[in-house]
Amino acid sequence: MRNIKDNPIVNMTFNFSLDIIDFVQQLKKQKDWDLASQLFRSGTSIGANVWEAQNAESPKDFIHKFKISAKECDETEYWLELCKASRHLPTPDEKLFNDRHSISKAISKIIGTTKRNISR
C-alpha cells in the first residue's frame, strides 16, 4: 500500500468526508433521512474512491477510480445546491462548496496528468 498520509488529495477528500458527515448530522436533526443518506453516500464516496485508487491494479484502473470520484463530486454538488436552494433545509457553509470545488479541480488535473503519462 502506498503512503497515503502524505498524499494531498487523499487528505483533502478524507477531511471533506468528515465535513460532510457533520453537515449530514444537521439534516438528520431535521429528520430529512433521504437527503441525508444521498449526501452522505456521494460525499464520502469521493474520498473512498480516491483512497481505493492508491492501490489501483493499473494506470487505467487508477483513472477509472478517479473518474468515479469525479462523478460523486458532481452528485455531491447537486445535493449541496439543493440544500442551499431549499427554504426547508439547513444551508451548507461556503467551506463545503469551496472544498468540493477544489477537490473537483484536483481530481480533473490528476486524471488529465495520468492520461498524458500513459500515452507517452
Side-chain angles (χ1 to χ4, degrees), residues 9-51:
I9 190 65
V10 170
N11 291 330
M12 286 172 63
T13 57
F14 187 85
N15 290 327
F16 182 75
S17 292
L18 292 173
D19 291 341
I20 286 292
I21 291 167
D22 289 343
F23 182 68
V24 162
Q25 293 306 310
Q26 292 179 42
L27 292 171
K28 286 182 176 181
K29 285 179 186 173
Q30 291 192 338
K31 298 189 180 3
D32 197 329
W33 309 111
D34 294 331
L35 191 100
S37 178
Q38 290 285 353
L39 181 58
F40 178 84
R41 284 195 309 264
S42 67
T44 59
S45 181
I46 300 164
N49 282 288
V50 166
W51 188 296

Side-chain angles (χ1 to χ4, degrees), residues 2-97:
R2 295 181 188 165
N3 183 2
I4 58 172
K5 293 185 181 200
D6 295 329
N7 187 318
I9 190 65
V10 170
N11 291 330
M12 286 172 63
T13 57
F14 187 85
N15 290 327
F16 182 75
S17 292
L18 292 173
D19 291 341
I20 286 292
I21 291 167
D22 289 343
F23 182 68
V24 162
Q25 293 306 310
Q26 292 179 42
L27 292 171
K28 286 182 176 181
K29 285 179 186 173
Q30 291 192 338
K31 298 189 180 3
D32 197 329
W33 309 111
D34 294 331
L35 191 100
S37 178
Q38 290 285 353
L39 181 58
F40 178 84
R41 284 195 309 264
S42 67
T44 59
S45 181
I46 300 164
N49 282 288
V50 166
W51 188 296
E52 188 177 347
Q54 304 312 300
N55 288 313
E57 295 175 11
S58 68
K60 287 185 179 184
D61 185 40
F62 180 85
I63 290 169
H64 176 71
K65 287 175 180 23
F66 266 86
K67 284 185 175 182
I68 294 169
S69 288
K71 289 179 181 183
E72 296 294 340
C73 203
D74 287 345
E75 181 180 341
T76 299
E77 180 181 18
Y78 174 79
W79 297 122
L80 291 172
E81 288 290 347
L82 192 62
C83 290
K84 184 178 177 180
S86 174
R87 56 190 163 96
H88 303 288
L89 298 170
T91 301
D93 63 19
E94 277 305 305
K95 182 181 183 313
L96 275 176
F97 286 101

